Every structure is written in C-alpha cells, then in structure tokens.
Amino acid sequence: MGGCCCKCTPRWANNEDVVCAYIYEECACFRKRKYVLYGAGKEDSLWNLPSSQTARSLVEGDIFDPHGIPISIAAEVPKGCCGYEMFEAAVEGLEKEWSPKMNRQLEPYGFRVDGFEWVEYRYISNGQGGGHTQPVPHFCIRIRATNTTERFANQEELKDANKPSKRLVPPRMTTTSINSQEEGESKYM
C-alpha cells in the first residue's frame, strides 16, 4: 500500500516531517475494516522510541477502536462511479472532527496528525487481449513531527507574556503652586 516494486518513497511519505502513517484498508470477504501502521518498522523510528509511547497510545487508542471516529469517517465515505471511494471527504471529515482534538493532545509530545488521500493506477489484465488501468484510491492518517525547539521557545514566550509585569511606575508627582508665597505679599518687592 502506498509503495511500489521499485522501492520508491510512498506518496504519503513525501514530506520530510512525516514519521509514519496508519493506512486504511478495506479487506474483502467480510473482514473488518482497519488501519495498518506503515513506516515505523525500524526500532530507531521516532514513533517507536520510549519518549513517543504516550503519544502513540493516544493515537492508536482512537485509530484501532472499531467504533472510533477515524474508522467511522473512513467507512462512511461516499462512493463515486463504479464504487470509486471518494476519500477527499474522509480527509475533510477527519480534519474537522478528529484531528484538532488529537493535535491538542499530541502537541506536548512533538507530534501532529493529518489525513491524506491519493490515487494509484493499477493495470488490470483482461486475459490474452490486454487490459486497462484502473484508479485505486487510498486514505491514511499521517503522523508528523513538529519542530519541538520552536514550540518550547514559543511556550517560554507565552509564559513570560502572562506574568504580571514589573514595570516601574513613576512616583506620584505632587504639584506645588507657583504662588507658594503667603497671601498679601507681593512678588516684586
């Protein structure tokens, strides 16, 4: 899914900050629909590090829930001509209903999620006489790393901005009248 025989980069991984993806798979023969993790097969993958386990459990708690929002959004995608799944609607629904909440939870761990869809064209053989190319739509939830250095710098700035300021207030000025002389005395003597 998302790869090809030439070992090129899958379409979902074309951005540098993409760590891995949970690709939605609709299995045939009445097997359940599910997301499958791709791109985190190596032990040193950022998604497999001990520091990422809390973030990973937050995401997988929703993604692997058979009645969760990500599964229901992907399963209820409108179909186009010839059963073609229009995963653009799934990306839009995910970005509206699930991603903002999940991104708020993942922010302290340096990750964010987004929906992504793409189409691959596969050759379908008709036997001896040739065949045709058929579009095959795909949908996934990508895990992306955020710039943690920049994030922590912004948090420090926010903390400093929310502290009460210790600005110097000038001392209260007392006004003295020009006519401080006693009444009755002349200015010009």
Side-chain angles (χ1 to χ4, degrees):
M1 279 275 179
C4 65
C5 59
C6 63
K7 305 289 186 210
C8 59
T9 303
R11 291 198 183 143
W12 56 262
N14 282 343
N15 294 13
E16 290 180 13
D17 63 341
V18 175
V19 176
C20 60
Y22 291 88
I23 298 179
Y24 179 70
E25 292 185 352
E26 287 187 329
C27 299
C29 301
F30 303 104
R31 288 182 281 170
K32 64 181 178 180
R33 299 165 186 214
K34 62 182 179 178
Y35 286 95
V36 178
L37 177 61
Y38 284 86
K42 297 179 182 173
E43 293 260 337
D44 63 343
S45 169
L46 184 60
W47 199 234
N48 292 331
L49 296 177
S51 59
S52 304
Q53 291 309 305
T54 304
R56 185 172 177 164
S57 64
L58 284 170
V59 171
E60 289 181 352
D62 276 3
I63 287 180
F64 293 145
D65 178 5
H67 305 290
I69 293 173
I71 284 286
S72 63
I73 287 173
E76 296 169 7
V77 165
K79 305 256 193 254
C81 178
C82 302
Y84 182 85
E85 293 169 311
M86 302 174 74
F87 283 124
E88 303 91 5
V91 170
E92 187 178 311
L94 195 74
E95 295 297 323
K96 242 191 251 180
E97 295 179 40
W98 185 72
S99 294
K101 176 190 77 126
M102 186 54 66
N103 284 338
R104 282 191 298 275
Q105 293 176 355
L106 293 175
E107 183 181 9
Y109 304 102
F111 294 103
R112 66 185 174 97
V113 295
D114 70 352
F116 184 74
E117 60 90 21
W118 73 100
V119 176
E120 292 178 354
Y121 289 87
R122 296 197 181 140
Y123 182 76
I124 309 295
S125 175
N126 290 337
Q128 295 175 349
H132 66 281
T133 305
Q134 183 165 337
V136 179
H138 296 282
F139 170 66
C140 73
I141 297 172
R142 298 188 297 185
I143 307 298
R144 303 177 85 160
T146 59
N147 187 346
T148 54
T149 307
E150 181 180 303
R151 188 185 81 246
F152 286 127
N154 290 341
Q155 285 180 346
E156 290 301 319
E157 289 174 14
L158 287 173
K159 285 180 187 174
D160 291 341
N162 290 332
K163 286 181 182 176
S165 63
K166 294 182 180 179
R167 65 180 173 193
L168 296 174
V169 178
R172 190 171 210 196
M173 302 288 292
T174 56
T175 56
T176 56
S177 71
I178 299 175
N179 295 334
S180 61
Q181 302 170 352
E182 291 181 33
E183 281 194 24
E185 286 185 355
S186 151
K187 282 174 142 175
Y188 307 106
M189 290 204 160

